[in-house]
Amino acid sequence: MSEKKVYFFGDGRADGQADMKNLLGGKGANLAEMTKIGVPVPPGFTITTAECTEYQQTGQLSDALKDEIREALKQAEKIMRKTFADAADPLLFSVRSGARVSMPGMMDTVLNLGLNDDSVAGLAKKSGNERFAYDSYRRLIHMYGDVVMGVDAEHYEDAIDAIKAKRGVKVDNELSADDLKDLCATYKDIVAKHAGAPFPSDPWEQLWGGVTAVFKSWGVARAKEYRRIHRIPEEWGTAVNVQTMVYGNLGDTSATGVAFTRDPSTGENRFYGEFLVNAQGEDVVAGIRTPQQINQAGHDTLPAGHEAKDLPTMEALMPELYNQLAGIRDDLEKHYKNMQDIEFTIQEGRLWMLQTRGGKRTGAAAIRIAAEMKGEGLVDVKQAIMMVEPDHLDQLLHDQIDPKAELEVLASGLPASPGAAQGMLRFTAEDAVAAADDGKNVILVRRETSPEDIAGMNKAQGILTSRGGMTSHAAVVARGMGKPCVAGCGEAVVDAAAKTLTIDGRLFGEGDVLTLNGTTGAVIAGAPALVPPHMDDPNLAKVMGWADGIRRLKVRTNADTPHDARQAREFGAQGIGLCRTEHMFFGEDRIRRMRQMILADDEAGRRAALDHIRPLQQEDFEGIFEAMNGLPVTVRLLDPPLHEFLPQGKKEIDQLAGDLDVSVDHIERKIEALHELNPMLGHRGCRLGLTYPEIYEVQVEAIIGAALVVKAKGVDVHPEIMIPLVGATRELADLRVLSVATAERVMKEQGAEVDYLVGTMIEIPRAALTADLVAEYADFFSFGTNDLTQMTYGYSRDDINTFLPVYLGQGILPTDPFQQLDQTGVGQLVEMAAKKGRAANPKLHLGICGEHGGDPSSSAFCHKVGLDYVSCSPFRVPIARLAAAQVVIEEELEG
Amino acid sequence: MSEKKVYFFGDGRADGQADMKNLLGGKGANLAEMTKIGVPVPPGFTITTAECTEYQQTGQLSDALKDEIREALKQAEKIMRKTFADAADPLLFSVRSGARVSMPGMMDTVLNLGLNDDSVAGLAKKSGNERFAYDSYRRLIHMYGDVVMGVDAEHYEDAIDAIKAKRGVKVDNELSADDLKDLCATYKDIVAKHAGAPFPSDPWEQLWGGVTAVFKSWGVARAKEYRRIHRIPEEWGTAVNVQTMVYGNLGDTSATGVAFTRDPSTGENRFYGEFLVNAQGEDVVAGIRTPQQINQAGHDTLPAGHEAKDLPTMEALMPELYNQLAGIRDDLEKHYKNMQDIEFTIQEGRLWMLQTRGGKRTGAAAIRIAAEMKGEGLVDVKQAIMMVEPDHLDQLLHDQIDPKAELEVLASGLPASPGAAQGMLRFTAEDAVAAADDGKNVILVRRETSPEDIAGMNKAQGILTSRGGMTSHAAVVARGMGKPCVAGCGEAVVDAAAKTLTIDGRLFGEGDVLTLNGTTGAVIAGAPALVPPHMDDPNLAKVMGWADGIRRLKVRTNADTPHDARQAREFGAQGIGLCRTEHMFFGEDRIRRMRQMILADDEAGRRAALDHIRPLQQEDFEGIFEAMNGLPVTVRLLDPPLHEFLPQGKKEIDQLAGDLDVSVDHIERKIEALHELNPMLGHRGCRLGLTYPEIYEVQVEAIIGAALVVKAKGVDVHPEIMIPLVGATRELADLRVLSVATAERVMKEQGAEVDYLVGTMIEIPRAALTADLVAEYADFFSFGTNDLTQMTYGYSRDDINTFLPVYLGQGILPTDPFQQLDQTGVGQLVEMAAKKGRAANPKLHLGICGEHGGDPSSSAFCHKVGLDYVSCSPFRVPIARLAAAQVVIEEELEG
């Protein structure tokens, strides 16, 4: 049985529906769905993503596919009562890509398919608009020549510039029908010359070429780069939507527009959109003409001096059509239960919906929409939680400009993507990437952005454009990336060639620093102070409260200081999952004592130095325990190799020799003796604790001592002693004995008691493999997935950059395994260790403290394998709380 | 139900038997067995090893144990018709340790238990030999004071020296009964003074003390050291044998001796033993008096000038007893089906057997005994194979002195353990260890060795002693270790204090080098040429043939040159499992080209350099393929990181810059760029192959090119291309595509074909975890257990020595996981990968090429998890063949 390859939609009837996104792509599934619920959609059909995958392998369209396409096209002809490329009254088609998730501007589109020298004449006659007909035809030749036949766009632009110069006109609209007719001939010559083959006049050849081009576009470099950044698997493929053309450029009763059912920047419940009269849809998105607002509410928000401020709204120009559109807006929100991003075209006074999809939004908007839609009864708690993406919360946690700072606002643009960004100016994507790789903060300044700029946008702190609206490429992509963006800043004059930005006569170059406020649209001179974000949005509190009510996984934080501990607690941390102690040895007086200890020749010498360190470390623990009153605190005993504490430079060595009254030679010999070829696999972690037990002993003394001190003050303290780098059971067994003996001794000396746990990191593959044995000596396991990933893959994090870019670029690795937990390999060890550990010790408490703890997909995995908590950096805590709730809801949905 | 704690034996009846070694120890099980088969054994009983383990935990003997001991002792009294410590006619006992495997001299013994001031008088009267009675008593006080009460032996020796001086006599034997009586009193004073408690006169207290001391002796440092070297688990424990005393020192009709049922050095089927008239057993083993041969055949083998040459044999002195002993020898060999090491005592003309156990033997002897016993019909093929230990073969593979070398033989001693050893002289165990750790080859020279010398013997190349026989401590231990040893070299005068050796007036010190021929007993001046061993012993060929007929596991070798390949083939290798190619880049012209490639800025530059390397590498492969005609050769593509090929020194860099006409700065920048913090986890293996595909491409060209060349010459060639360091499936998938495409291209160019395989190393934990996915792209897996161990444990082999000694010393690790495969952890990954790989790809061929391939216990594991072959260094090939047969036989025995 062959699978159905083509899904028809039109006139209230469709083969597909909204939940078929994997097969039909987001756009195709929604065209089908919209058709079904009675929204006016131009008829057409969708070729499945499975055919894209097939194409990537075979490099051609199968006969079976072509047959199904012919059949579906016939149905569209029937509905529209026209015939494809009929010389008298041609039915024309668009061909568009449509992947499972939106990849704005990433893939190719061809419009007006079906025109040729014959049918263009029929179209002119039938429409009574010769200018329109030849304009459509020259657009087809240009797009087809570019997209399908690979003839660079500049050739057409040169030709049109030449004819405009010849006619003495400024904009395309001023060219006459005859000019456009000439231009069509010129374009065909260009194609024939540069492609080495003529533009095909056979409409079917055009169609096959268009479909093939979309499939091919899945594999081009910029699409790959986009997928890499957005973690979209190669094998998903794209669907192709072939749809009857409707025209927004048939005069002043025609228009085209893009809208969001709510404000995508703030989330406010108001219909927000932009349109252009007598234009094709591409004109709005490309940001070439500044679009008008669809309604007065939107118009009111435009900054003074904005180009569109003087243009009428759709609400004013076409009130009936506006009301019809607003009605469809309500229907779509009710049907999809989410904020929608829609495209529409008005052809000679008739409204057609071309697309609806879940709208991209800022973090703040996502939170507000979720909270308000729940308030409106449109969604329930779980649906509301699922509307917020983890990355949305990440945006909320971006820096903001200090409200108390004095600002020199240079200009205002559209608040296209919120947050504050500062950096040196760069005027091309390449320059931005180079500077960012060089460690610089960069603001990417462009007249308008295009898909070629993706890599540069990704590396920039923020984006400033001088043209385009809230739905321009820059705005949409920046919101998707969570980058601050000010778009359409008309006062800014950008000269990319000269690498300058001029605002009100002031010249800025690559050496200058600007600040963008993407929340207000302000462009600010210099670098005013930034402040960390607040989490006091009441909508956020609501959503997080709902999430907390649903999640099973607890969320702790990785924090080494009382300050970090307090901050994490504000963000909802339920304890500390990893308190590293090595930082506590690096303070001024401490590092000297640490070095004295390392340089000592015997245990007595080491103990003498440690005696000075103990009270300082105890003080640190007291502060952290107080900050986490009532919550558990997992303290990891010393982990790094001792050589990390020794000085490297000649001068520092000389000074240390003087300080400690030892010879330079002694220090140098010690440095030499401690040198390791592979320190990651060397003498560190519990290997230190076993060879120099006095170090761990003093640390346990400080932990238990601190716990007793704060407990005496009334603090509810729960210390957990964590032994790092265990690979052999006896390592933990012996160090547990040491820890317990030390703790008991300290408590006896102090005449007081405190509960404590002793457990281990699982970060060595062998510990995971033998977790049943290790668990007998552990109260808890904490998965150290950073090291576990290093050893399971055999990758040094410090050295991986020599080959990781190639690996990601070629798809050898789907993602960086240090960012997203490798569930296939490393995850097996986590799951195995959790299972074996719990079987051997049912009371075993399980958590993760690697940086993966803050990655949503990784923490969902942690939930699924039954861990008790994840621990992550303070700013990731809210994200982890949300992700933990979402995985519960997803599990319920999956049944 | 409590377990039986004490096993009685005596008068033809015994609770235990030979197969209860785990519970009764080797000695105890054999005393029971011997008793059962009618050999005359003094009655007694064995306390189980379980009680030793119990003692290590509780530190005391339980009442239940004491009850069972009292009961068993009563049975011995009944048989001997005497009463324990009866004041008139005391029954006396020995207390001896006896672990599962023999640990010669390692643990403590107390004799004559039951004597006190009353019973010694009774013994004197009853035996009519007052001298004997008091001699026995003073021995008891000495041993008990030393072993049980911790009073150092030197105190007794001082006392006996004093009385001998007073009496003007030289040897103990010359002391009178009264002298000995005085000595008993003095000894008791010594004990009271140094132990702070009197020597116990209560015989039961003596017994409990003796048993406790044996249990304690299991835990002392020298026993632990011995177990570490011989890989004996701590938890085995030792049994205690309490046995009726019989005396070889009751005058000239009494004697004591030690014998082997066949020559333990050559394996010749002749009864071989030594004895002393009027002596206790300890005197023979301790090497204090030079013992006499038991028969003429042995006497004939003594070198001229040997002290025993003038002494009569037992065969001559006591012909009837000798015949009885020879009869028992035959019985024991027939019963045990193995060569036995026996101890006997003749008390006033009556023969008693004190012990029998499997005799330690040299490698050559083991092979000969196995082959001959099979020939005699005493054992079958499988039993013969099981009689040879892998270490025996290792000994056979030791170097020998070049037969063509001119030798200056300084002296001759006993050929105590075969093979040739050369080194600088060291006169204490400590000095030997220090020098060996310093990288020196060492000959340890001692008058006689003692258990304290174990560590030094282990580190030495060979051992030379001036006293003692073939059953002396030095001889037994050296044979066990497979170290060459010349013992009892009377011409050698050793002065340990002055650190000199004098032979025939010539003085040798620490700076001198000597050579020992442990096979002939020769002590040779200087360092004559050594030759690698021959495998042309016909007995060896027999045994190996039997093994080859039984084993399922194939044995390949790791070889990088035609020379190594040929040698391994002689040793029975069935192919090359690992041919490393990096060595091929280090030749004079090659390293320059390699560096040129690394320093090139682009692929074209790299290819230009590789073009020079290709033909050279192809030549290497041709040689190896020819040497392995008919057998598979697995070639690993380049593995080490590129920086290993770059020069480090300033001078070398300058020269390279000149050679290649590039700037020094360029080279230094490249070195800096290639520097890695953890090269083990860095840019190497297939990561190089993917980032610089031209390197692997050229290597595949060379492999296939070479295969075609030799195939054209009629060589049967089976190249296998091995991709190293795969951790992600796509790594192998992509490199398989590259390899196959390259191979097909070369074959097309040459117009000829050759079969080849493409597979991978499994050395990254993730590859093992995802072996089902990886296997889809592999024709074979070869387990690289060196790296797999590094990553599974997180141990860098280069850095492990900073903590491994502590880990082994404290038993945190049972063995070095790089020597013996860690079956608990790393083994899980091997087993998992084998299982998953085969399930996904039933044709998958599986092998191991880590150094574990040559370790018998590791290769047994490989057999059990179903690998097809092991690959090891050429000299380990015969061992692997034997081990592979033994594991099959063991499996059959286990059912």
Side-chain angles (χ1 to χ4, degrees), chain A residues 379-710:
Chain A
V379 298
D380 63 19
V381 162
K382 288 176 184 173
Q383 287 168 322
I385 290 171
M386 294 308 286
M387 287 170 74
V388 181
E389 294 168 17
D391 282 352
H392 287 142
L393 290 183
D394 195 24
Q395 284 179 42
L396 281 197
L397 298 167
H398 278 162
D399 288 345
Q400 305 291 338
I401 294 168
D402 187 341
K404 298 185 294 288
E406 296 254 324
L407 304 182
E408 183 190 356
V409 175
L410 301 170
S412 271
L414 297 171
S417 183
Q422 292 179 338
M424 306 180 81
L425 307 187
R426 285 297 180 274
F427 296 87
T428 68
E430 296 71 43
D431 290 349
V433 170
D437 285 347
D438 218 33
K440 293 190 175 71
N441 284 339
V442 169
I443 300 291
L444 178 63
V445 181
R446 302 285 287 161
R447 229 180 304 190
E448 60 217 30
T449 62
S450 73
E452 277 76 20
D453 294 324
I454 288 289
M457 295 173 79
N458 191 40
K459 292 276 187 170
Q461 298 295 309
I463 297 120
L464 170 63
T465 64
S466 56
R467 308 185 72 168
M470 289 293 280
T471 51
S472 66
H473 180 266
V476 171
V477 171
R479 283 198 294 274
M481 288 180 173
K483 301 257 176 214
C485 174
V486 172
C489 178
E491 299 161 76
V493 179
V494 179
D495 185 337
K499 303 194 175 178
T500 58
L501 164 70
T502 313
I503 301 178
D504 200 16
R506 276 173 73 174
L507 195 73
F508 300 88
E510 290 200 323
D512 293 305
V513 170
L514 292 185
T515 298
L516 303 180
N517 187 343
T519 315
T520 65
V523 179
I524 299 154
L530 302 183
V531 293
H534 294 289
M535 295 288 289
D536 52 8
D537 175 347
N539 285 321
L540 177 63
K542 253 186 225 170
V543 173
M544 293 309 296
W546 295 332
D548 289 344
I550 283 171
R551 68 188 163 95
R552 180 190 62 68
L553 206 57
K554 283 194 158 48
V555 177
R556 295 196 193 179
T557 193
N558 299 349
D560 310 339
T561 65
H563 172 268
D564 283 0
R566 276 188 295 271
Q567 176 137 57
R569 211 173 168 157
E570 260 176 50
F571 289 158
Q574 297 166 287
I576 292 181
L578 177 61
C579 172
R580 286 170 288 247
T581 53
E582 42 271 25
H583 304 298
M584 300 181 186
F585 290 105
F586 274 106
E588 186 59 42
D589 182 51
R590 302 166 180 209
I591 185 76
R592 201 167 61 84
R593 294 298 186 183
M594 188 68 181
R595 289 169 174 176
Q596 186 185 350
M597 186 209 76
I598 295 168
L599 294 170
D601 286 321
D602 54 16
E603 189 187 324
R606 287 191 294 273
R607 284 197 183 270
L610 286 166
D611 281 342
H612 291 277
I613 293 175
R614 186 193 300 103
L616 300 171
Q617 193 153 95
Q618 177 165 330
E619 242 174 75
D620 294 327
F621 292 134
E622 288 172 19
I624 291 170
F625 289 154
E626 282 186 58
M628 297 311 272
N629 187 355
L631 298 175
V633 176
T634 307
V635 180
R636 179 177 70 183
L637 302 188
L638 193 68
D639 186 56
L642 294 183
H643 52 72
E644 287 193 10
F645 296 96
L646 290 181
Q648 293 303 327
K650 176 80 187 111
K651 205 177 133 193
E652 236 188 321
I653 292 173
D654 288 346
Q655 192 184 332
L656 182 63
D659 280 2
L660 297 182
D661 196 18
V662 297
S663 72
V664 166
D665 184 53
H666 179 71
I667 298 176
E668 283 173 346
R669 266 186 290 117
K670 197 76 188 185
I671 291 173
E672 177 58 27
L674 290 176
H675 173 74
E676 294 182 309
L677 289 177
N678 293 286
M680 184 56 60
L681 306 176
H683 195 171
R684 65 184 193 94
C686 69
R687 300 164 196 174
L688 283 177
L690 286 157
T691 46
Y692 303 105
E694 54 278 6
I695 301 179
Y696 277 19
E697 192 182 320
V698 164
Q699 290 201 290
V700 172
E701 285 169 356
I703 293 168
I704 299 298
L708 293 173
V709 166
V710 301

Side-chain angles (χ1 to χ4, degrees), chain A residues 677-681 687 690 730-731 764 766 769 792-796 799 802 807 810-811 822 828 836, chain B residues 677-681 683 687 690 730-731 764 766 769 792-794 796 799 807 810-811 822 828 836:
Chain A
L677 289 177
N678 293 286
M680 184 56 60
L681 306 176
R687 300 164 196 174
L690 286 157
R730 270 285 301 275
E731 291 174 325
I764 298 277
R766 193 175 185 280
L769 291 162
T792 305
Y793 266 104
Y795 293 159
S796 160
D799 304 310
T802 48
Y807 270 39
Q810 298 183 8
D822 160 48
Q828 272 190 57
K836 288 187 175 188
Chain B
L677 289 177
N678 293 287
M680 185 57 58
L681 306 177
H683 196 170
R687 299 164 196 173
L690 286 156
R730 272 285 301 276
E731 290 174 326
I764 298 277
R766 192 174 185 280
L769 291 163
T792 304
Y793 267 103
S796 160
D799 303 311
Y807 270 38
Q810 297 183 9
D822 160 49
Q828 272 190 57
K836 287 186 176 188

Side-chain angles (χ1 to χ4, degrees), chain B residues 367-384:
Chain B
I367 290 291
R368 180 164 174 182
I369 291 169
E372 292 188 351
M373 281 196 170
K374 164 71 178 66
E376 294 157 22
L378 212 55
V379 298
D380 63 19
V381 161
K382 288 177 185 173
Q383 286 167 324

